[in-house]
Amino acid sequence: MSKPLLYRRSSIFSVILRIHKLRETESFVLFPGESSSRLQWTFVQVRHKSGGGGWRPKQKVYHRVHDLDKAIDLNKKPSLILQLKSIIQAQKHGSLLLRDLEKHVGFVHKWNLMAAIEKYPTIFYVGGGHKEPPFVMLTEKAKKIAAEESEATESMEPILVNNLRKLLMMSVDCRVPLEKVEFIQSAMGLPQDFKSTLIPKYTEFFSLKVINGKVNLVLENWDSSLAITAREDRLSREGFSESVGDRKRVRITKDGNFLGRNAFKISFPPGFRPNASYLEEFEKWQKMEFPSPYLNARRFDAADPKARKRVVAVLHELLSLTMEKRVTCAQLDAFHSEYLLPSRLILCLIKHQGIFYITNKGARGTVFLKDAYAGSNLIEKCPLLLFHDRFVALCGRKEVNLSNEMQSSSVFS
C-alpha cells in the first residue's frame, strides 16, 4: 500500500527546507497548499535578522526567536534516549543485541543511537562479550523510573480523549480522516495502537466510518463544556473580569498585549519595534470580537475580518491540543479542508508572528505557539512529558517545569 499524499508532502517539505537552511542571513519558508487538480507550493522568502547592516524595508524581515530555535536543538538528545528506551522495552527479554539495532532504525541512525549508548551509561548497560554477542539493556535505576510510565500513560487517557473530541468538534463536519489523525498522533501524544485501544473503548464519543472511500474518525456526540478554548481558559485562570477588562482606559501596551476577552497573548520577536500607528491598528484587532473556533466555519465569510481572526483562534487552539504546543508545517497543513484554513496559511502565520513562530531548525519546518513557552522551555507539561523529563534526567540533564501545577490547564484536566 502506497503512503498517503500527506506523508509524501511531508518528505518533500523536509528535503527543501534542508537545502535552504544553509543560508545564514536568509531562510526560505515553504508551505504546501492544495488545489482541486494538483499539488501546489507557496514559496515565501523570509529575511532573518542578524548582525550587520544593509537591510531592506523592515516589513520584509522575519525575526528569528533564538530561544525557540534552541528548543528544537534541546529536544534532540531526549528524542534519542526515549527512542532507544522504547526499542529495548519492546524486546521480549528487555535487552537488544547491538547487531540488531540496524534492523529497527536503519544503518545511518544506528550510529546516533550507538553514540547515545556509549555516552549515557547511567541509562544504558552494555553486556556480553567473548562467546556471548554484545547487547544493551536499561540499567536498574532506569528500569525503576521506566516503570512509572504506565502511571503517566493512565493519567494521559482522559486528556487524550478530551483533546481528540475537541479536535473533531472544530472540524466542519465533526469528522477527520483517520490517516490525518495518525499523521498528528505523535504530536498529540496518542499511543501507536489508539485505533484498537482508545477508539473502541469510548464508543459513546468516537466511531470509525468509511466516507468517500476513506476511513474517518467521527464524533458521536457534542459536548458544549469542551467548547472552551485554551485562550479563554487562560483568561479565566488569570482572573480576567469583563467589567475590568472592557473599561475604556485600558490601553494596549507597547508589547502588543491588551487586557480583553477577545485579545491574544502577544510576544513580539526580539528586534521588532512597532510604531504608534501599528499599535493603534493592532489594538483594534485585539479588541475585535470573533466567532468561536468551535462554531462551524461554513457559517462565515472568509473575507470578513472577524472570520480571519477566527482562523488565528483555530490555529491557536489546534496547537494547544498538542503535547509540546508545536507541530510540523506539514502536520498543520494536513487539516486545510477540515477547518477551512486559508490557502496561503504561511502568510497568516507570518502576519501574526507575535502569536506563532515558524522555524526551519531541525529536519522539518515547525510552528510554535509562542505563549506556551518561556524562553526555550514549555510552561505547562502533561503527565507523559513530565515522565519523559524524569527519565532523561538520568543522563544529568536538569528537569525543567515552569508550571506551578502538574495539570493547571483545562487541556490537561
Side-chain angles (χ1 to χ4, degrees):
M1 181 178 178
S2 62
K3 289 186 177 182
L5 176 61
L6 56 92
Y7 290 89
R8 298 199 298 271
R9 289 164 63 180
S10 175
S11 61
I12 295 170
F13 190 92
S14 300
V15 170
I16 300 177
L17 276 175
R18 279 179 178 273
I19 295 171
H20 290 302
K21 61 181 285 195
L22 296 176
R23 301 285 295 275
E24 292 183 358
T25 58
E26 296 182 38
S27 293
F28 295 82
V29 182
L30 296 105
F31 214 95
E34 282 186 294
S35 67
S36 58
S37 58
R38 59 192 175 93
L39 182 66
Q40 295 180 333
W41 292 85
T42 301
F43 185 90
V44 180
Q45 183 177 356
V46 181
R47 294 291 301 275
H48 287 275
K49 189 177 178 71
S50 63
W55 279 112
R56 294 178 183 177
K58 270 192 174 181
Q59 62 267 27
K60 294 184 180 180
V61 176
Y62 188 70
H63 299 262
R64 276 199 184 280
V65 179
H66 294 288
D67 283 338
L68 295 181
D69 287 342
K70 184 181 176 182
I72 298 290
D73 293 328
L74 289 174
N75 193 51
K76 291 179 181 178
K77 181 170 73 175
S79 294
L80 283 176
I81 293 173
L82 294 170
Q83 182 185 17
L84 187 53
K85 175 190 77 71
S86 297
I87 294 173
I88 293 172
Q89 288 181 311
Q91 306 308 304
K92 187 175 181 180
H93 300 292
S95 65
L96 173 69
L97 294 177
L98 292 180
R99 68 189 180 195
D100 293 337
L101 191 56
E102 186 176 333
K103 298 177 183 178
H104 295 276
V105 299
F107 177 76
V108 176
H109 191 49
K110 173 187 73 172
W111 299 108
N112 294 328
L113 296 182
M114 291 288 284
I117 292 171
E118 183 180 5
K119 190 174 181 180
Y120 307 121
T122 55
I123 301 177
F124 305 112
Y125 169 77
V126 178
H130 300 294
K131 294 182 180 180
E132 186 181 5
F135 64 89
V136 61
M137 60 188 297
L138 296 179
T139 63
E140 290 302 317
K141 192 171 183 180
K143 287 179 182 178
K144 184 177 180 180
I145 295 182
E148 301 173 8
E149 186 171 10
S150 58
E151 183 180 348
T153 302
E154 186 177 344
S155 300
M156 283 294 294
E157 187 167 304
I159 297 170
L160 295 175
V161 170
N162 282 346
N163 286 357
L164 204 51
R165 293 170 71 188
K166 290 163 78 76
L167 184 79
L168 297 175
M169 286 169 63
M170 281 197 295
S171 64
V172 291
D173 295 311
C174 292
R175 67 172 187 258
V176 172
L178 184 61
E179 66 172 6
K180 296 190 178 184
V181 180
E182 291 174 327
F183 191 40
I184 202 175
Q185 74 178 57
S186 60
M188 293 189 68
L190 292 168
Q192 290 293 326
D193 58 351
F194 80 96
K195 291 183 295 183
S196 57
T197 56
L198 205 63
I199 304 304
K201 187 175 180 180
Y202 295 94
T203 54
E204 68 273 29
F205 300 142
F206 312 112
S207 65
L208 295 175
K209 297 179 181 178
V210 178
I211 301 172
N212 297 327
K214 288 186 177 181
V215 179
N216 281 250
L217 182 61
V218 180
L219 183 72
E220 285 299 309
N221 63 71
W222 180 275
D223 187 348
S224 298
S225 66
L226 292 178
I228 299 173
T229 66
R231 184 192 65 85
E232 292 169 329
D233 179 68
R234 178 183 60 81
L235 287 174
S236 176
R237 287 187 287 114
E238 291 177 354
F240 171 75
S241 171
E242 289 189 30
S243 60
V244 174
D246 289 342
R247 291 177 184 173
K248 291 184 179 180
R249 71 168 182 267
V250 178
R251 301 278 302 185
I252 195 167
T253 58
K254 289 183 178 180
D255 62 5
N257 285 294
F258 171 77
L259 185 63
R261 60 189 176 90
N262 298 306
F264 287 83
K265 189 174 180 179
I266 300 298
S267 176
F268 288 135
F272 182 79
R273 298 290 183 266
N275 56 30
S277 60
Y278 178 94
L279 287 174
E280 184 178 343
E281 290 301 313
F282 194 70
E283 179 176 356
K284 293 177 183 177
W285 186 87
Q286 284 278 54
K287 289 181 177 180
M288 182 171 60
E289 294 183 354
F290 61 96
S292 168
Y294 290 97
L295 294 178
N296 197 311
R298 292 197 183 101
R299 296 169 53 180
F300 312 110
D301 180 4
D304 187 339
K306 293 182 178 180
R308 290 201 294 267
K309 188 175 181 181
R310 178 189 173 277
V311 168
V312 175
V314 170
L315 296 171
H316 187 287
E317 185 71 355
L318 187 57
L319 287 164
S320 296
L321 296 180
T322 63
M323 284 203 304
E324 297 183 284
K325 309 301 181 283
R326 67 189 191 206
V327 295
T328 66
C329 296
Q331 286 173 327
L332 192 60
D333 179 69
F335 292 89
H336 251 104
S337 55
E338 284 69 33
Y339 300 119
L340 299 187
L341 299 177
S343 58
R344 295 187 177 183
L345 187 52
I346 182 69
L347 299 181
C348 176
L349 293 168
I350 290 174
K351 180 179 179 181
H352 297 285
Q353 59 179 308
I355 302 172
F356 311 110
Y357 177 63
I358 313 169
T359 179
N360 59 354
K361 292 283 287 184
R364 298 165 294 180
T366 303
V367 181
F368 281 85
L369 182 61
K370 296 180 76 172
D371 65 17
Y373 282 80
S376 301
N377 300 309
L378 189 63
I379 296 173
E380 296 177 351
K381 296 185 178 182
C382 63
L384 188 57
L385 288 181
L386 291 172
F387 162 75
H388 288 170
D389 284 352
R390 275 182 50 77
F391 189 84
V392 173
L394 285 172
C395 72
R397 175 168 172 163
K398 184 179 179 182
E399 295 180 62
V400 178
N401 182 19
L402 302 179
S403 178
N404 292 326
E405 298 179 29
M406 182 173 167
Q407 299 172 340
S408 55
S409 170
S410 65
V411 176
F412 301 132
S413 61

